[in-house]
Amino acid sequence: MKTLTVGLAERSYPIHIGSGLLSRPELLLPHLPHKKTAIVTNTVVAPLYLESLSALLQAQGITVLPILLPDGEQYKNTETLGLIYQALLTHRCERTTPLIALGGGVIGDMTGYAAATYLRGVPFIQIPTTLLAQVDSSVGGKTGINHTLGKNMIGAFYQPQAVLADITTLNTLADQELRAGLAEVIKYGLIRDLDFFQWLEQNMDKLLARDASALQYAITCSCQHKAEVVAADERESGERALLNLGHTFGHAIETGMGYGEWLHGEAVAAGTIMAADLSCRLGWISAQDTARIRSLFERAGLPVLGPALGEEKYLQLMGLDKKVAGGKMRFILLKSIGHAVLSADVPPNLLRQTLAACVHD
Ligand code: NAD
Ligand code: GLY
């Protein structure tokens, strides 16, 4: 097992990464001093991992309240959030009752937001069970839900007490979900680590074959990057915005298609190709590097063209991005592979050219 730390002074917390961690109660017990917890999960993850985790904790004298939510991005909303509050209130959970998020990014984001708001804040622990959640969403404290008008528009920055990324849980993940997680892994290489990008080019086949040591390396490297960025800029006043490479386009795809139609990681993949294409049109990265980036996403089995929403729809949805400042769209773009920047100076004609070139006919 490898343990990293997200350094946030008195709110610092560990990220444990390894195989078989869900059989190790000692990693959770220090965070459950009051011997009671609520485990929030969904109807897909529960049959796989809820019973064994509950039994493990109960054997240690912990009372467990399971809270089962419907599965899917389309349920990441106020109505489902209400189900969590309802269960916590019905069972008289107190401020000392930590919530455990057991699942992918949807469960993690919603549980974190419930923890941030229930009784004005209760502790929570992330147990991410998708690759995407293990490398990105479980770390850093962005919690929230979608609004019909925009992705992740309601939320709070609220850090967990600990993150337990058990690589063994990835064995039950669908191939399409594994690939979606790889989009966020490639992102770290593109924004701040050329060596890692090259390592991904050399090891993509191993990752797709779920080689445990390749996964352990990729998850650890990704979490190390995320932990460093979050420690430096927890509330995204600067560097953290770079983690949104591909997301301005990607969120437009997710919202425009209807939540759940495109996986988040798939939308980020197509969005990252758009960001690379735009960077190339600005004269920042070469056509060869743009092709190299597209090729890695293709090898990961990810979409490299966005859906045909129509140029105006893309522009309208991108105008709702959280990075918009003073009414002006801001983009994360690439100066080179391994170096991303935030830019507000994108000529509208180049943006339209990218939208024309990078979506399906
Ligand atoms: P997800 O949570 O919907 O999980 C994908 C699917 O896999 C679901 O059907 C889920 O039930 C299932 N699943 C989960 N673990 C499994 C396992 N071990 N075996 C079999 N099936 C399993 O999707 P995701 O890709 O994990 O997360 C996407 C969400 O994360 C989006 O809502 C996105 O906005 C959010 N996100 C948040 C942040 C952040 O910083 N908070 C960062 C990136 C993404
Ligand atoms: N996933 C982007 C962030 O956490 O900032």
Side-chain angles (χ1 to χ4, degrees), residues 64-309:
V64 175
L65 167 66
I67 302 177
L68 255 72
L69 306 179
D71 176 48
E73 185 74 39
Q74 64 274 33
Y75 295 105
K76 189 178 164 184
N77 55 27
T78 43
E79 202 181 335
T80 313
L81 190 67
L83 298 177
I84 307 180
Y85 298 138
Q86 179 78 28
L88 295 173
L89 286 166
T90 304
H91 292 86
R92 297 179 190 279
C93 290
E94 300 175 358
R95 278 200 168 135
T96 52
T97 306
L99 310 190
I100 294 178
L102 175 68
V106 170
I107 286 292
D109 281 12
M110 275 199 294
T111 306
Y113 190 49
T117 48
Y118 180 67
L119 305 182
R120 300 201 179 91
V122 299
F124 90 111
I125 297 161
Q126 289 272 18
I127 304 189
T129 61
T130 63
L131 180 60
L132 186 140
Q134 293 186 356
V135 298
D136 193 353
S137 62
S138 64
V139 176
K142 277 191 183 175
T143 72
I145 54 171
N146 299 326
H147 188 279
T148 44
L149 293 179
K151 177 90 181 120
N152 293 338
M153 283 296 165
I154 318 294
F157 286 99
Y158 192 69
Q159 302 294 339
Q161 306 282 305
V163 179
L164 247 79
D166 184 344
I167 291 173
T168 313
T169 61
L170 301 182
N171 290 334
T172 54
L173 200 60
D175 284 341
Q176 192 187 0
E177 298 290 353
L178 185 84
R179 290 194 288 265
L182 288 170
E184 302 279 20
V185 175
I186 295 170
K187 173 184 84 176
Y188 294 109
L190 285 173
I191 62 175
R192 69 199 307 267
D193 190 345
L194 173 61
D195 288 346
F196 186 44
F197 186 86
Q198 284 166 341
W199 182 89
L200 289 168
E201 289 181 315
Q202 283 150 16
N203 290 277
M204 184 50 73
D205 295 341
K206 284 189 187 166
L207 291 170
L208 289 167
R210 301 175 199 230
D211 176 285
S213 63
L215 282 169
Q216 170 91 24
Y217 180 79
I219 295 166
T220 305
C221 193
S222 300
C223 285
Q224 184 67 51
H225 281 299
K226 180 118 192 208
E228 283 172 17
V229 173
V230 169
D233 178 24
E234 183 185 9
R235 292 190 165 240
E236 201 169 305
S237 49
E239 188 184 356
R240 186 165 183 172
L242 302 181
L243 295 176
N244 289 312
L245 175 68
H247 286 59
T248 301
F249 298 103
H251 284 166
I253 294 172
E254 287 185 88
T255 309
M257 290 300 289
Y259 300 126
E261 287 298 317
W262 273 54
L263 300 184
H264 176 70
E266 293 173 336
V268 166
T272 301
I273 305 296
M274 294 183 192
D277 180 275
L278 190 49
S279 308
C280 183
R281 286 175 199 280
L282 284 159
W284 293 356
I285 63 170
S286 64
Q288 289 95 315
D289 275 351
T290 311
R292 189 176 165 192
I293 294 166
R294 186 180 294 110
S295 160
L296 187 58
F297 281 101
E298 274 169 348
R299 281 183 58 211
L302 286 159
V304 293
L305 288 177
L309 295 174

Side-chain angles (χ1 to χ4, degrees), residues 316-348:
Q316 179 232 318
L317 289 167
M318 289 193 302
L320 287 168
D321 188 66
K322 288 191 282 306
K323 287 186 293 304
V324 169
K328 212 167 160 78
M329 271 192 251
R330 299 188 303 161
F331 292 87
I332 312 303
L333 298 171
L334 294 171
K335 284 281 184 183
S336 63
I337 295 179
H339 181 198
V341 292
L342 175 71
S343 175
D345 297 317
V346 172

